Amino acid sequence: MAEIPAIKRRLIQEGVDVIDVGAGDADFPPPEAAVEALSCAARDPAMSRYAFQLGLPAFREAAAAYMLRRFGVRVDPYTQLHPLLGSKEGIAHLAMALLGSGDVAIVPEPGYAVYEGGTVLAGAEPYRCALRPRTGFLLELEELPADVVRRARLVYLNYPNNPTAAVATRAYLEGTVAFCREHDIVIAYDNPYCEITFDDYVAPSIFEIEGAWDVAMEFHSLSKTFCMTGWRLGWAVGRSEVIAALARVKNYVDTGAFLAIQAAGAAVLPQAESLARDYVAGFKERRDAMLPVLRAQGFEPETPEATMYLWVPLPEGVASAAFARRALEEAGVVTLAGSGFGAGGEGFFRIALTVAAPRLVEAAERLGRVLAAV
Ligand code: PLP
């Protein structure tokens, strides 16, 4: 994955018409409310000062109001919620707040690379656990060896899931919360795709599950829902002791997100659901345009109920890294190889619905030609 930007640049210089459906970084513009609030706040000198860990009270309060309105979850905006410079930052620093040498964190594979990276940077040990199609890509905690469960302090859970686009049932989440309570394992519930859901599916917060408050931290982001990836803004929710531990780590590495960006977040969140509806309609149109063409080309992807991703199986014996490299070099299509999300992702590649429908159709046709040649 690390080589992709350089290869893409070379191909563009050579005149190749590259279609990039690699990173989860859609080309829709951010909400007008965000742009307005940012430009207005940028003119206020007070917004150029350090944010510190407190940040902008209006952002904390807007995030807490969203949690209550959207999920029925009541949180204190000052002790049970914390602003982040994107959720990635908080996920990585949570490991430093909670883990030490000898501790284990359970890391789903395929999964977002920060789970394993954060664990390793914290000096702890990742235990990789495969997500398989057979179980709907749900992490099976009951299957873990007793010794791993005994040493585990943290488990990363992410539904709607990147990269598989899987969603979790309430029954699954209830079982997982019960298991983690019994074994004293913190759940880092990574929920950046909770608004990108299709048809009738509505994604929950982990805190809708009884008992979750005792064991879970949840991470939210403005990146995906509002197409604000570069703005770097998110928040964490959890018990005040764990939030305080996270804030203590952050205090040594950052001084808070730019206050004007927090002002933009505070302007967006009161309209979160209606803004999300429009973006989701765009993602759905893209999903529905691309899937039939991919299928006509011989691929067999499931129809995702959530996220901006298509997780596409490859024929037996076709290595995902080799396929993704050929797709890029021979067809000018940037995808992500499943193996880039950990060995458990082998046999698949990921498409992100980040460009307009006609370009996705073109990408599907080009990928079909690569498939025919492997
Ligand atoms: N979690 C998951 C599962 C993701 O896919 C991403 C981004 O790709 C993030 C967290 C981080 O998002 P951000 O740091 O932009 O909030």
Side-chain angles (χ1 to χ4, degrees), residues 24 85-89 91 112 115 158 160-162 190 192-193 220-224 229 232-234 309 350:
L85 289 98
S87 59
K88 178 183 197 175
E89 174 266 296
I91 294 164
Y112 187 47
Y115 310 146
N158 163 228
N161 182 261
N162 171 23
D190 185 14
Y193 300 102
H220 285 269
S221 174
L222 277 82
S223 291
K224 312 292 180 173
T229 50
R232 313 308 305 133
L233 192 61
Y309 305 120
R350 193 192 80 176

